[in-house]
mmCIF file with all atom_site columns, all heavy atoms in Angstrom:
data_model
loop_
_atom_site.group_PDB
_atom_site.id
_atom_site.type_symbol
_atom_site.label_atom_id
_atom_site.label_alt_id
_atom_site.label_comp_id
_atom_site.label_asym_id
_atom_site.label_entity_id
_atom_site.label_seq_id
_atom_site.pdbx_PDB_ins_code
_atom_site.Cartn_x
_atom_site.Cartn_y
_atom_site.Cartn_z
_atom_site.occupancy
_atom_site.B_iso_or_equiv
_atom_site.pdbx_formal_charge
_atom_site.auth_seq_id
_atom_site.auth_comp_id
_atom_site.auth_asym_id
_atom_site.auth_atom_id
_atom_site.pdbx_PDB_model_num
ATOM 1  N N   . ARG A 1 126 ? 14.210 -121.553 -176.801 1.00 96.00 ? 126 ARG A N   1
ATOM 2  C CA  . ARG A 1 126 ? 14.016 -120.152 -176.410 1.00 96.00 ? 126 ARG A CA  1
ATOM 3  C C   . ARG A 1 126 ? 14.374 -119.209 -177.551 1.00 96.00 ? 126 ARG A C   1
ATOM 4  O O   . ARG A 1 126 ? 13.600 -118.312 -177.899 1.00 96.00 ? 126 ARG A O   1
ATOM 5  C CB  . ARG A 1 126 ? 14.871 -119.844 -175.192 1.00 96.00 ? 126 ARG A CB  1
ATOM 6  C CG  . ARG A 1 126 ? 14.802 -118.380 -174.727 1.00 96.00 ? 126 ARG A CG  1
ATOM 7  C CD  . ARG A 1 126 ? 16.016 -118.015 -173.900 1.00 96.00 ? 126 ARG A CD  1
ATOM 8  N NE  . ARG A 1 126 ? 17.265 -118.188 -174.651 1.00 96.00 ? 126 ARG A NE  1
ATOM 9  C CZ  . ARG A 1 126 ? 18.468 -118.203 -174.099 1.00 96.00 ? 126 ARG A CZ  1
ATOM 10 N NH1 . ARG A 1 126 ? 18.611 -118.087 -172.797 1.00 96.00 ? 126 ARG A NH1 1
ATOM 11 N NH2 . ARG A 1 126 ? 19.545 -118.350 -174.862 1.00 96.00 ? 126 ARG A NH2 1
ATOM 12 N N   . ASP A 1 127 ? 15.539 -119.421 -178.154 1.00 97.00 ? 127 ASP A N   1
ATOM 13 C CA  . ASP A 1 127 ? 15.981 -118.552 -179.242 1.00 97.00 ? 127 ASP A CA  1
ATOM 14 C C   . ASP A 1 127 ? 15.058 -118.663 -180.455 1.00 97.00 ? 127 ASP A C   1
ATOM 15 O O   . ASP A 1 127 ? 14.794 -117.659 -181.137 1.00 97.00 ? 127 ASP A O   1
ATOM 16 C CB  . ASP A 1 127 ? 17.416 -118.909 -179.642 1.00 97.00 ? 127 ASP A CB  1
ATOM 17 C CG  . ASP A 1 127 ? 18.415 -118.633 -178.526 1.00 97.00 ? 127 ASP A CG  1
ATOM 18 O OD1 . ASP A 1 127 ? 18.058 -117.909 -177.575 1.00 97.00 ? 127 ASP A OD1 1
ATOM 19 O OD2 . ASP A 1 127 ? 19.554 -119.152 -178.602 1.00 97.00 ? 127 ASP A OD2 1
ATOM 20 N N   . ALA A 1 128 ? 14.565 -119.877 -180.731 1.00 96.00 ? 128 ALA A N   1
ATOM 21 C CA  . ALA A 1 128 ? 13.657 -120.065 -181.855 1.00 96.00 ? 128 ALA A CA  1
ATOM 22 C C   . ALA A 1 128 ? 12.341 -119.327 -181.612 1.00 96.00 ? 128 ALA A C   1
ATOM 23 O O   . ALA A 1 128 ? 11.778 -118.721 -182.529 1.00 96.00 ? 128 ALA A O   1
ATOM 24 C CB  . ALA A 1 128 ? 13.399 -121.553 -182.092 1.00 96.00 ? 128 ALA A CB  1
ATOM 25 N N   . ALA A 1 129 ? 11.843 -119.372 -180.377 1.00 96.00 ? 129 ALA A N   1
ATOM 26 C CA  . ALA A 1 129 ? 10.600 -118.676 -180.055 1.00 96.00 ? 129 ALA A CA  1
ATOM 27 C C   . ALA A 1 129 ? 10.768 -117.169 -180.202 1.00 96.00 ? 129 ALA A C   1
ATOM 28 O O   . ALA A 1 129 ? 9.876  -116.473 -180.734 1.00 96.00 ? 129 ALA A O   1
ATOM 29 C CB  . ALA A 1 129 ? 10.153 -119.025 -178.633 1.00 96.00 ? 129 ALA A CB  1
ATOM 30 N N   . ILE A 1 130 ? 11.895 -116.644 -179.758 1.00 97.00 ? 130 ILE A N   1
ATOM 31 C CA  . ILE A 1 130 ? 12.152 -115.204 -179.877 1.00 97.00 ? 130 ILE A CA  1
ATOM 32 C C   . ILE A 1 130 ? 12.251 -114.799 -181.345 1.00 97.00 ? 130 ILE A C   1
ATOM 33 O O   . ILE A 1 130 ? 11.646 -113.794 -181.784 1.00 97.00 ? 130 ILE A O   1
ATOM 34 C CB  . ILE A 1 130 ? 13.445 -114.829 -179.122 1.00 97.00 ? 130 ILE A CB  1
ATOM 35 C CG1 . ILE A 1 130 ? 13.249 -115.024 -177.619 1.00 97.00 ? 130 ILE A CG1 1
ATOM 36 C CG2 . ILE A 1 130 ? 13.847 -113.392 -179.420 1.00 97.00 ? 130 ILE A CG2 1
ATOM 37 C CD1 . ILE A 1 130 ? 14.522 -114.866 -176.807 1.00 97.00 ? 130 ILE A CD1 1
ATOM 38 N N   . ALA A 1 131 ? 13.019 -115.576 -182.143 1.00 97.00 ? 131 ALA A N   1
ATOM 39 C CA  . ALA A 1 131 ? 13.186 -115.260 -183.559 1.00 97.00 ? 131 ALA A CA  1
ATOM 40 C C   . ALA A 1 131 ? 11.877 -115.403 -184.319 1.00 97.00 ? 131 ALA A C   1
ATOM 41 O O   . ALA A 1 131 ? 11.558 -114.592 -185.206 1.00 97.00 ? 131 ALA A O   1
ATOM 42 C CB  . ALA A 1 131 ? 14.256 -116.170 -184.172 1.00 97.00 ? 131 ALA A CB  1
ATOM 43 N N   . LEU A 1 132 ? 11.085 -116.415 -183.976 1.00 96.00 ? 132 LEU A N   1
ATOM 44 C CA  . LEU A 1 132 ? 9.813  -116.622 -184.653 1.00 96.00 ? 132 LEU A CA  1
ATOM 45 C C   . LEU A 1 132 ? 8.834  -115.484 -184.344 1.00 96.00 ? 132 LEU A C   1
ATOM 46 O O   . LEU A 1 132 ? 8.120  -115.009 -185.228 1.00 96.00 ? 132 LEU A O   1
ATOM 47 C CB  . LEU A 1 132 ? 9.214  -117.966 -184.237 1.00 96.00 ? 132 LEU A CB  1
ATOM 48 C CG  . LEU A 1 132 ? 7.865  -118.336 -184.859 1.00 96.00 ? 132 LEU A CG  1
ATOM 49 C CD1 . LEU A 1 132 ? 7.940  -118.312 -186.376 1.00 96.00 ? 132 LEU A CD1 1
ATOM 50 C CD2 . LEU A 1 132 ? 7.417  -119.712 -184.366 1.00 96.00 ? 132 LEU A CD2 1
ATOM 51 N N   . ALA A 1 133 ? 8.809  -115.042 -183.103 1.00 97.00 ? 133 ALA A N   1
ATOM 52 C CA  . ALA A 1 133 ? 7.941  -113.925 -182.732 1.00 97.00 ? 133 ALA A CA  1
ATOM 53 C C   . ALA A 1 133 ? 8.300  -112.681 -183.533 1.00 97.00 ? 133 ALA A C   1
ATOM 54 O O   . ALA A 1 133 ? 7.420  -111.962 -184.034 1.00 97.00 ? 133 ALA A O   1
ATOM 55 C CB  . ALA A 1 133 ? 8.049  -113.649 -181.235 1.00 97.00 ? 133 ALA A CB  1
ATOM 56 N N   . ALA A 1 134 ? 9.593  -112.421 -183.686 1.00 97.00 ? 134 ALA A N   1
ATOM 57 C CA  . ALA A 1 134 ? 10.025 -111.249 -184.460 1.00 97.00 ? 134 ALA A CA  1
ATOM 58 C C   . ALA A 1 134 ? 9.638  -111.393 -185.926 1.00 97.00 ? 134 ALA A C   1
ATOM 59 O O   . ALA A 1 134 ? 9.180  -110.420 -186.559 1.00 97.00 ? 134 ALA A O   1
ATOM 60 C CB  . ALA A 1 134 ? 11.532 -111.072 -184.322 1.00 97.00 ? 134 ALA A CB  1
ATOM 61 N N   . ALA A 1 135 ? 9.806  -112.591 -186.502 1.00 97.00 ? 135 ALA A N   1
ATOM 62 C CA  . ALA A 1 135 ? 9.466  -112.813 -187.904 1.00 97.00 ? 135 ALA A CA  1
ATOM 63 C C   . ALA A 1 135 ? 7.963  -112.659 -188.138 1.00 97.00 ? 135 ALA A C   1
ATOM 64 O O   . ALA A 1 135 ? 7.531  -112.118 -189.168 1.00 97.00 ? 135 ALA A O   1
ATOM 65 C CB  . ALA A 1 135 ? 9.933  -114.200 -188.339 1.00 97.00 ? 135 ALA A CB  1
ATOM 66 N N   . LEU A 1 136 ? 7.158  -113.129 -187.202 1.00 97.00 ? 136 LEU A N   1
ATOM 67 C CA  . LEU A 1 136 ? 5.709  -113.011 -187.337 1.00 97.00 ? 136 LEU A CA  1
ATOM 68 C C   . LEU A 1 136 ? 5.270  -111.552 -187.273 1.00 97.00 ? 136 LEU A C   1
ATOM 69 O O   . LEU A 1 136 ? 4.374  -111.124 -188.017 1.00 97.00 ? 136 LEU A O   1
ATOM 70 C CB  . LEU A 1 136 ? 5.017  -113.821 -186.233 1.00 97.00 ? 136 LEU A CB  1
ATOM 71 C CG  . LEU A 1 136 ? 5.119  -115.346 -186.369 1.00 97.00 ? 136 LEU A CG  1
ATOM 72 C CD1 . LEU A 1 136 ? 4.611  -116.027 -185.109 1.00 97.00 ? 136 LEU A CD1 1
ATOM 73 C CD2 . LEU A 1 136 ? 4.344  -115.825 -187.583 1.00 97.00 ? 136 LEU A CD2 1
ATOM 74 N N   . ARG A 1 137 ? 5.897  -110.764 -186.416 1.00 98.00 ? 137 ARG A N   1
ATOM 75 C CA  . ARG A 1 137 ? 5.547  -109.340 -186.334 1.00 98.00 ? 137 ARG A CA  1
ATOM 76 C C   . ARG A 1 137 ? 5.953  -108.603 -187.615 1.00 98.00 ? 137 ARG A C   1
ATOM 77 O O   . ARG A 1 137 ? 5.230  -107.712 -188.079 1.00 98.00 ? 137 ARG A O   1
ATOM 78 C CB  . ARG A 1 137 ? 6.196  -108.713 -185.104 1.00 98.00 ? 137 ARG A CB  1
ATOM 79 C CG  . ARG A 1 137 ? 5.620  -109.214 -183.789 1.00 98.00 ? 137 ARG A CG  1
ATOM 80 C CD  . ARG A 1 137 ? 6.083  -108.378 -182.595 1.00 98.00 ? 137 ARG A CD  1
ATOM 81 N NE  . ARG A 1 137 ? 5.490  -108.889 -181.363 1.00 98.00 ? 137 ARG A NE  1
ATOM 82 C CZ  . ARG A 1 137 ? 6.100  -109.744 -180.539 1.00 98.00 ? 137 ARG A CZ  1
ATOM 83 N NH1 . ARG A 1 137 ? 7.334  -110.163 -180.812 1.00 98.00 ? 137 ARG A NH1 1
ATOM 84 N NH2 . ARG A 1 137 ? 5.501  -110.174 -179.453 1.00 98.00 ? 137 ARG A NH2 1
#
Side-chain angles (χ1 to χ4, degrees):
R126 177 202 60 194
D127 295 345
I130 293 172
L132 180 56
L136 290 170
R137 292 191 179 96

